[in-house]
Amino acid sequence: MTQVTSGDTVRLHYTGTLTDGTTFDSSDGRDPLEFVVGSGQVIAGLDKAIPGMSVGDTKTVTVPADEAYGAHHPEARQSVPRDQFPDDIPVEVGMRLELRTPQGQTMPVVVAEVAEDSVVLDANHPLAGKDLTFAIELVEIKSA
């Protein structure tokens, strides 16, 4: 039976949960996730769990934060004066925005706090600082 090796393209179904059991993502009802093993297309901890699997294999993998989206960085939160936002945009906690850096790059942020005179924006990935668990089922291997 063929086993996955680095460089193979794989397709897998998955359900990702937080340590409290909350599902944060799943391929349920969608096409399987496809990626090249070892290419950095998915988080490192998931990528490392796939070699050696065969089609039909299932496993549950716990990925520590440092092999997922990294630590949560307090310095990635920034307070911005409320008057920097257009009056016609209702700024609310949880709202996702995109900012443009002075170098022209787009940076996704989430509104973390809203006060009368300021808005706190958070550029951390929403899953930063969290350990993740993936229940996976390998459905296809395309050898390199």
Side-chain angles (χ1 to χ4, degrees), residues 1 53-58 137-140:
M1 193 173 233
M53 291 184 73
S54 299
V55 171
D57 284 355
T58 61
E137 176 188 5
L138 187 66
V139 296
E140 187 178 355

Side-chain angles (χ1 to χ4, degrees), residues 58-131:
T58 61
K59 68 164 62 170
T60 300
V61 180
T62 299
V63 179
D66 65 335
E67 292 184 355
Y69 294 97
H72 185 272
H73 298 285
E75 66 275 12
R77 292 171 58 103
Q78 182 176 353
S79 182
V80 177
R82 179 65 178 95
D83 63 11
Q84 296 293 310
F85 294 85
D87 290 334
D88 61 332
I89 295 180
V91 180
E92 299 173 355
V93 172
M95 177 183 234
R96 296 181 188 278
L97 302 171
E98 286 188 355
L99 302 180
R100 195 162 303 282
T101 67
Q103 297 77 26
Q105 296 175 311
T106 301
M107 179 174 55
V109 296
V110 174
V111 175
E113 299 173 30
V114 177
E116 192 171 315
D117 59 347
S118 65
V119 176
V120 175
L121 301 177
D122 189 344
N124 283 289
H125 187 283
L127 296 173
K130 297 181 176 25
D131 296 337

Side-chain angles (χ1 to χ4, degrees), residues 17-22 24 62-63 130-133:
T17 56
L18 302 174
T19 53
D20 68 1
T22 303
F24 63 85
T62 299
V63 179
K130 297 181 176 25
D131 296 337
L132 310 176
T133 300

